[in-house]
Amino acid sequence: MAAVLLSVNQLSKSYGARKAVDGVSFQVQQGQTVGLIGPNGAGKSTTVSMICGLLRSDSGSVLLNGAPVTQGASAAKRLIGYVPQDLALYDDLSSLENLKLFGALYGLKGAQLKQRCEQVLALVNLSDRAGDNPSTFSGGMKRRLNIAAALLHEPQLLILDEPTVGVDPQSRNAIFDTLEALQAQGCALIYTSHYMEEVERLADHLVIIDHGKVLADETPAALYQRLPAQAALQVELATAAGAELVAALSALDGVRSVQASGQQLSIALADAAQAAPVLVWLAGQGLTLLHFATAKTSLENIFLNLTGRSLRD
Ligand code: ADP
């Protein structure tokens, strides 16, 4: 098993009377990608700001390779790259000049600075725009330049706060490509989002938070196991489904719930493998099936399942 890179222990922070983060604990292994998921206001930004040492916690600790990250601990902080939600680029400087400025702040200079700027521009696929000002960029390109700036000092852990907000789908894919390249290089990632599906694509582990508390800290596969229904079977019959049919269907092995609306049946299944026996059973009742389709239940439902609320209410 990989060594623990980051250990967040019982972190808490209040703004006045409001408890924004309330005893959050989780770990990130070396090279691991952790998705920090929760609705707006859950405490994600406050948590990552404390991890980076940008915000002082009220209590709890953050250890990076076993050493505490505090506001003054520059050695530990050098292991972290942070991509904030608010873009911090200078519009009257070119992309390359922006990067040189950020690199200088990390103490890089000369040939090393030049080489790192070229490497990170290539990684975010902006080499051909090195001479252009960010004011000419789309939201997604600006975000990629911000990611590049956070990588100049070769951090072991890159923290991205909602990196796809305000980004078009094409640029979002470009961001994912960059993050996948970083994963391949062994860089650990923390990625905050209120979109479960995009984090699911990248993350080895998901930490779900709400009202400043951790509700779940598991692999996506383990979270799927916690869903009462892992798949849905949609069936269109030639005739309307009656109450008797719905009752008999509901009693079948692996069927969690059945909703009928005219000829349409929506059947929640404990497991996708149950779709075939259910279809065989329907056909065995002498029914004509006009159309059917199965779909894996979205992991978005896990939040609903844990809190009774949707992730994006
Ligand atoms: P998220 O990133 O999950 O959207 P935040 O960490 O930004 O959540 O916010 C958590 C809670 O703390 C929210 O209720 C938010 O309104 C509050 N909050 C965040 N920053 C501040 C601040 N600077 N002053 C007062 N309240 C804040």
Side-chain angles (χ1 to χ4, degrees):
M1 204 169 120
V4 175
L5 175 64
L6 177 80
S7 183
V8 177
N9 309 300
Q10 289 298 319
L11 216 50
S12 292
K13 175 78 187 175
S14 294
Y15 296 107
R18 183 186 295 274
K19 206 146 202 180
V21 174
D22 189 4
V24 163
S25 300
F26 65 93
Q27 292 190 332
V28 180
Q29 318 289 325
Q30 249 148 21
Q32 191 181 37
T33 297
V34 170
L36 189 59
I37 311 293
N40 282 327
K44 304 182 296 294
S45 291
T46 305
T47 300
V48 295
S49 298
M50 290 190 283
I51 293 172
C52 298
L54 295 171
L55 187 67
R56 196 190 298 270
S57 63
D58 294 340
S59 57
S61 64
V62 176
L63 302 177
L64 200 61
N65 283 332
V69 181
T70 54
Q71 277 186 316
S74 54
K77 282 204 276 191
R78 278 192 69 91
L79 301 177
I80 299 178
Y82 175 51
V83 186
Q85 261 182 44
D86 297 321
L87 302 167
L89 298 167
Y90 295 94
D91 272 344
D92 45 357
L93 297 178
S94 73
S95 306
L96 184 60
E97 286 163 345
N98 264 286
L99 290 178
K100 282 185 170 165
L101 185 69
F102 285 109
L105 295 177
Y106 282 114
L108 299 173
K109 46 183 184 274
Q112 193 198 10
L113 176 60
K114 184 168 175 288
Q115 188 194 25
R116 280 305 293 156
C117 288
E118 284 165 4
Q119 284 172 343
V120 295
L121 275 170
L123 189 73
V124 298
N125 214 358
L126 284 175
S127 301
D128 56 340
R129 304 295 299 264
D132 297 341
N133 290 14
S135 55
T136 65
F137 285 4
S138 70
M141 290 163 78
K142 287 182 188 173
R143 191 79 57 169
R144 276 147 61 198
L145 187 56
N146 244 14
I147 294 174
L151 291 170
L152 284 162
H153 61 299
E154 297 183 80
Q156 290 183 21
L157 170 66
L158 183 68
I159 300 180
L160 303 111
D161 200 359
E162 304 257 3
T164 59
V165 166
V167 167
D168 61 273
Q170 196 188 344
S171 262
R172 201 163 64 198
N173 281 330
I175 290 174
F176 289 154
D177 289 346
T178 296
L179 298 183
E180 278 166 356
L182 284 169
Q183 287 178 322
Q185 290 174 13
C187 184
L189 305 173
I190 295 178
Y191 183 123
T192 83
S193 182
H194 55 282
Y195 292 105
M196 186 71 89
E197 68 275 22
E198 69 178 43
V199 176
E200 209 186 327
R201 169 172 163 183
L202 292 165
D204 308 305
H205 218 85
L206 298 176
V207 175
I208 300 179
I209 71 168
D210 189 31
H211 298 309
K213 286 184 163 43
V214 174
L215 301 181
D217 178 0
E218 287 169 62
T219 62
L223 283 172
Y224 268 114
Q225 289 303 319
R226 283 171 62 161
L227 285 171
Q230 292 188 30
L233 171 63
Q234 307 290 340
V235 180
E236 185 182 350
L237 301 171
T239 51
E244 259 180 47
L245 177 72
V246 171
L249 254 179
S250 304
L252 291 180
D253 232 18
V255 172
R256 290 285 185 254
S257 67
V258 180
Q259 286 183 325
S261 169
Q263 292 160 246
Q264 307 289 337
L265 285 172
S266 180
I267 306 164
L269 300 170
D271 194 300
Q274 257 109 16
V278 169
L279 288 169
V280 168
W281 182 88
L282 283 168
Q285 306 304 302
L287 296 164
T288 304
L289 279 55
L290 297 180
H291 179 77
F292 61 85
T294 53
K296 199 173 165 190
T297 306
S298 156
L299 206 49
E300 295 273 349
N301 289 311
I302 196 75
F303 190 80
L304 186 66
N305 210 249
L306 289 167
T307 66
R309 285 179 293 115
S310 143
L311 194 52
R312 287 191 291 279
D313 267 346

